[in-house]
Amino acid sequence: MSSIIPVDLLSYATNPGYLSTLATTNISNPTTISLLAYDPSFTSVIGANATARQLYSLDYEAFHEAGVYNHATNKLYVTSNWAGDLNNPINVTIIDLAPTADYSLSSTRYASLAEANGATSYFPPGTQTNSSFPPNILYCDEGDFTSPSALISVNPATNISTPILTSFLGRNFSSLNDVRQHPETGDLWFTDADYGFFQSFRPESTIPKQVYRFSPSTGAIAVVATDFSQPNGLEFSPDLKTLYVSDTGAQEFSQNLTRPATLYAFDIINNTRLTNRRTFAYADSGFPDGVHCDTEGNVWAGCGDGVHIWNPEGTLLGKIWTGVVANNFAFLPGKVMVFTNKQLWIVENVVARGREVCKDFGVC
Ligand SMILES: *[C@@H]1O[C@H](CO)[C@@H](O)[C@H](O)[C@H]1NC(C)=O
Ligand SMILES: *[C@@H]1O[C@H](CO)[C@@H](O)[C@H](O)[C@H]1NC(C)=O
Ligand SMILES: *[C@@H]1O[C@H](CO)[C@@H](O)[C@H](O)[C@H]1NC(C)=O
Ligand SMILES: *[C@@H]1O[C@H](CO)[C@@H](O)[C@H](O)[C@H]1NC(C)=O
Ligand SMILES: *[C@@H]1O[C@H](CO)[C@@H](O)[C@H](O)[C@H]1NC(C)=O
Ligand SMILES: *[C@@H]1O[C@H](CO)[C@@H](O)[C@H](O)[C@H]1NC(C)=O
Ligand SMILES: *[C@@H]1O[C@H](CO)[C@@H](O)[C@H](O)[C@H]1NC(C)=O
Ligand SMILES: *[C@@H]1O[C@H](CO)[C@@H](O)[C@H](O)[C@H]1NC(C)=O
């Protein structure tokens, strides 16, 4: 258990080792999670009574990306990390959120997914009028040496899967990384990076690293942003006026922290185009990977030592500090689940509400 610890930025300004005076962890067996306030407003964002604890520490990397809730099954779906073995592909860790289930875990593999990474809850065209909750989960499948990288829709209640997009007008993607569905247009906005090649399960890329917009009802596709090292997480602001895209170029074959570990912001015009690219934030630890906004417009990203939280002006408000890489996390009603590969952590009594919690959980 831990509660909020204030960070004295003036002390930090002249003491590079300041953080270690506040928080320590056993990196080979991390057990510590701390809520660090870099700005006084962090307490009202996370909630004065928020507490954090570890739920699991496993012997394999079960908790890596996605973290998408499905209402019909009342379960959260998390993709595991690449284990360096084409014979042991990425699978899906299922966390049961039923009150009596005590976050029990199971694991599955969908034959239609080669190597899944990021994902989003997904209304296929026309279903928004028929179903209250997104029936499907749309995965970014990074592909492998035989399957192209693709967007694949899975209904977790039936396990029926449907390919939604398997190329850019015939050109192979590299390794689709993360995806969001625009809540008004139903369009899918997604990123494509080189990680399947860096991790030796994809051929060398044949297309630039870009952000795309795809209409699943018409098939129309467009590139909306380019000039990244490695575009990775992406997220809409709650007013749908801004798109945030993380660039994790600091990690390619190996890590080089002179390359980007940066969140960029763009203005969204007419729900279709991007303009006014600007630097939103830079992570002091690792790189911003999975990104989600809360309903107040604060931007949360999984980084090298936990989840970092910035306000819409790009001021770092605080961290959910784990001391190890948090690739992603998920907002639940009143809670945040943090994924650090082998560990699963939970923050409870959280005031902030995820942008998509109302849509996905029906808790508004
Ligand atoms: C750190 O974790 C390792 C592996 O579980 C354990 O052997 C060691 O005793 C721990 N060290 C401390 C200081 O807790
Ligand atoms: C924190 O808990 C106290 C005592 O139960 C309560 O009075 C207060 O309203 C809570 N604050 C928040 C932000 O939930
Ligand atoms: C898939 O899940 C099982 C646990 O059920 C695990 O042992 C295995 O290593 C997993 N594969 C990967 C790539 O994590
Ligand atoms: C929505 O419901 C209507 C009326 O029941 C049905 O005709 C239609 O096929 C449904 N659409 C989808 C996409 O399920
Ligand atoms: C696209 O990828 C598929 C599957 O990996 C492969 O069979 C095909 O040759 C690739 N196409 C091009 C144009 O490289
Ligand atoms: C879908 O897959 C999950 C996980 O393997 C399994 O528990 C469930 O029974 C399957 N559902 C159906 C309808 O096959
Ligand atoms: C890191 O990247 C920079 C810029 O690309 C390059 O100049 C530098 O040599 C790299 N450092 C290492 C250790 O590879
Ligand atoms: C806005 O986007 C729609 C398609 O979604 C298009 O028909 C319309 O021309 C666009 N308007 C402007 C001003 O770009």
Side-chain angles (χ1 to χ4, degrees):
M1 287 283 190
S2 63
S3 48
I4 297 167
I5 300 166
V7 170
D8 179 348
L9 287 177
L10 277 177
S11 295
Y12 210 162
T14 54
N15 177 8
Y18 173 80
L19 192 65
S20 65
T21 67
L22 295 182
T24 57
T25 193
N26 184 344
I27 294 303
S28 67
N29 181 24
T31 54
T32 305
I33 180 165
S34 306
L35 304 175
L36 302 180
Y38 283 65
D39 184 275
S41 64
F42 182 66
T43 301
S44 59
V45 170
I46 196 111
N49 297 335
T51 60
R53 63 195 167 102
Q54 185 179 83
L55 284 178
Y56 290 101
S57 186
L58 304 182
D59 62 2
Y60 79 103
E61 299 192 338
F63 314 105
H64 185 59
E65 285 279 9
V68 179
Y69 179 70
N70 181 260
H71 194 267
T73 61
N74 198 15
K75 290 176 174 140
L76 191 81
Y77 296 80
V78 184
T79 50
S80 72
N81 199 5
W82 166 246
D85 181 0
L86 281 166
N87 296 315
N88 180 21
I90 290 170
N91 53 31
V92 177
T93 305
I94 305 175
I95 305 168
D96 194 337
L97 299 187
T100 53
D102 201 21
Y103 304 116
S104 69
L105 301 180
S106 57
S107 177
T108 195
R109 179 148 166 82
Y110 301 108
S112 55
L113 294 178
E115 304 289 351
N117 191 67
T120 189
S121 60
Y122 175 52
F123 281 110
T127 57
Q128 206 143 2
T129 49
N130 289 25
S131 36
S132 309
F133 298 98
N136 291 8
I137 296 178
L138 187 83
Y139 289 93
C140 287
D141 186 347
E142 295 183 89
D144 56 22
F145 288 111
T146 51
S147 305
S149 188
L151 296 176
I152 310 279
S153 170
V154 176
N155 181 324
T158 63
N159 297 337
I160 292 171
S161 68
T162 314
I164 300 300
L165 180 69
T166 62
S167 77
F168 173 69
L169 303 172
R171 297 273 301 279
N172 281 337
F173 295 114
S174 303
S175 311
L176 300 187
N177 196 290
D178 210 351
V179 58
R180 295 287 177 269
Q181 183 170 35
H182 192 286
E184 291 176 0
T185 65
D187 286 354
L188 300 168
W189 295 61
F190 60 93
T191 57
D192 188 26
D194 289 332
Y195 288 102
F197 176 63
F198 296 142
Q199 296 178 310
S200 305
F201 62 84
R202 284 285 291 155
E204 199 160 353
S205 301
T206 55
I207 199 162
K209 287 142 289 202
Q210 306 184 120
V211 182
Y212 297 84
R213 172 177 42 77
F214 172 69
S215 164
S217 54
T218 68
I221 186 165
V223 173
V224 290
T226 191
D227 294 329
F228 295 94
S229 293
Q230 302 295 333
N232 195 312
L234 81 172
E235 169 67 331
F236 298 112
S237 62
D239 63 8
L240 306 174
K241 290 184 171 153
T242 306
L243 182 76
Y244 298 99
V245 180
S246 67
D247 190 332
T248 56
Q251 181 69 48
E252 296 192 332
F253 283 112
S254 59
Q255 198 168 93
N256 181 332
L257 290 174
T258 69
R259 295 194 302 253
T262 308
L263 273 164
Y264 297 99
F266 298 80
D267 292 340
I268 304 174
I269 307 174
N270 189 30
N271 286 346
T272 52
R273 289 174 287 124
L274 297 178
T275 187
N276 190 20
R277 176 189 178 126
R278 55 210 183 267
T279 302
F280 173 74
Y282 174 79
D284 65 280
S285 175
F287 42 81
D289 194 340
V291 189
H292 302 273
C293 285
D294 65 29
T295 54
E296 300 299 309
N298 299 306
V299 181
W300 304 45
C303 295
D305 57 355
V307 177
H308 297 194
I309 297 122
W310 295 271
N311 72 10
E313 284 72 50
T315 301
L316 179 65
L317 301 185
K319 298 182 181 181
I320 301 170
W321 190 89
T322 55
V324 285
V325 172
N327 292 89
N328 214 330
F329 64 98
F331 281 110
L332 316 182
K335 297 171 189 166
V336 175
M337 268 190 179
V338 179
F339 313 135
T340 65
N341 295 306
K342 287 186 176 173
Q343 299 81 28
L344 178 67
W345 315 80
I346 191 162
V347 188
E348 292 162 299
N349 300 313
V350 172
V351 167
R353 179 153 27 90
R355 180 182 67 85
E356 299 187 285
V357 160
C358 180
K359 164 178 61 98
D360 291 345
F361 291 83
V363 177
C364 303

